[in-house]
Each structure stands twice: as structure tokens, then as C-alpha cells.
Amino acid sequence: QVQLVESGGDLVQPGGSLRLSCAAAGFAFDEYTIGWFRQAPGKEREGVVCIGSSEGRTYYADSVQGRFTISRDNAKNTVYLQMNNLKPEDTAVYYCATTGAPYYYCSGFFVGYDYFGRGTQVTVSS
């Protein structure tokens, strides 16, 4: 059974930083692409960043390019999302997700993600 558990969300001031974690279990973690999505109040969920399996390819949405960094530790079955220079528009529930099959190509299309965690709240406000 696929399990994804996010943590690290908090209230932070504009310009601040947070690191989110996504702990995974129940599948061959090193073979799967992992993505981070977010959903702001009144908006649809959007893909933000992903990291591929063995080759470690990454993709960043324009809105977070240069501020967010995704990484993975396959030994710990964990993906991290370092978020710097946070802005109020980054406020959202952040979800990590994985695909329904291994070796999906990490791209800006953000398709094929069949499993999502419950999310962690990030609030950027002064």
C-alpha cells in the first residue's frame, strides 16, 4: 500500500524559508518520480516541482524557479522541498505525490500521479 506523509508546513513571514519533507512507503521508492503539488484557497491544485527516479531529473514551475529546490534521499525513502524567499502567493496546502508506474518522466505536464499524501499547510504572511 502506497503511503506518502508530508511534514514541515508552518506559518512564515514573507522572505522566510521552510523545508518540507515527504516520507514514502509501500513501493520501490528509487524507481518512482515524486512530485510536489499545491492548492491555494479557491484555486485548483497545481504541479509545482518534480524529481525523477534514478536519473534525478528535476522540473520547476516558473513561479518557483530559483526559490525552491527539490531533492531526494533514496536511502531514507524521503523527498525534500527547500523553499526560500517565500511569498504570500506561495500560501497553500502542499501535497507530495507519486506516479502509478515506475520511471515516469518528470516534466511540466504533471500527469500520471495516482497517489497523493494528505498535505501540509504552508502560510506566508506578516
Side-chain angles (χ1 to χ4, degrees), residues 27-102:
F27 61 102
F29 179 78
D30 61 343
E31 296 178 0
Y32 283 74
T33 290
I34 304 294
W36 282 96
F37 293 71
R38 67 186 182 186
Q39 187 166 19
K43 294 187 177 181
E44 293 187 356
R45 187 167 59 190
E46 63 173 350
V48 176
V49 59
C50 60
I51 185 166
S53 54
S54 57
E55 85 284 5
R57 170 187 165 82
T58 58
Y59 172 87
Y60 296 89
D62 289 345
S63 58
V64 305
Q65 178 73 47
R67 300 187 298 120
F68 289 13
T69 303
I70 189 171
S71 62
R72 66 190 298 160
D73 185 339
N74 289 338
K76 295 183 178 180
N77 282 12
T78 301
V79 168
Y80 304 99
L81 183 63
Q82 178 67 42
M83 305 187 296
N84 297 328
N85 190 22
L86 283 161
K87 304 176 180 181
E89 51 264 42
D90 295 319
T91 295
V93 178
Y94 283 72
Y95 302 89
C96 69
T98 192
T99 55

Side-chain angles (χ1 to χ4, degrees), residues 3-27:
Q3 292 183 332
L4 298 165
V5 180
E6 304 92 339
S7 62
D10 205 346
L11 169 65
V12 63
Q13 292 186 345
S17 297
L18 282 176
R19 188 176 82 155
L20 306 183
S21 299
C22 172
F27 61 102

Side-chain angles (χ1 to χ4, degrees), residues 100-113:
Y103 304 116
Y104 257 65
Y105 190 67
C106 165
S107 76
F109 292 105
F110 289 100
V111 296
Y113 290 86

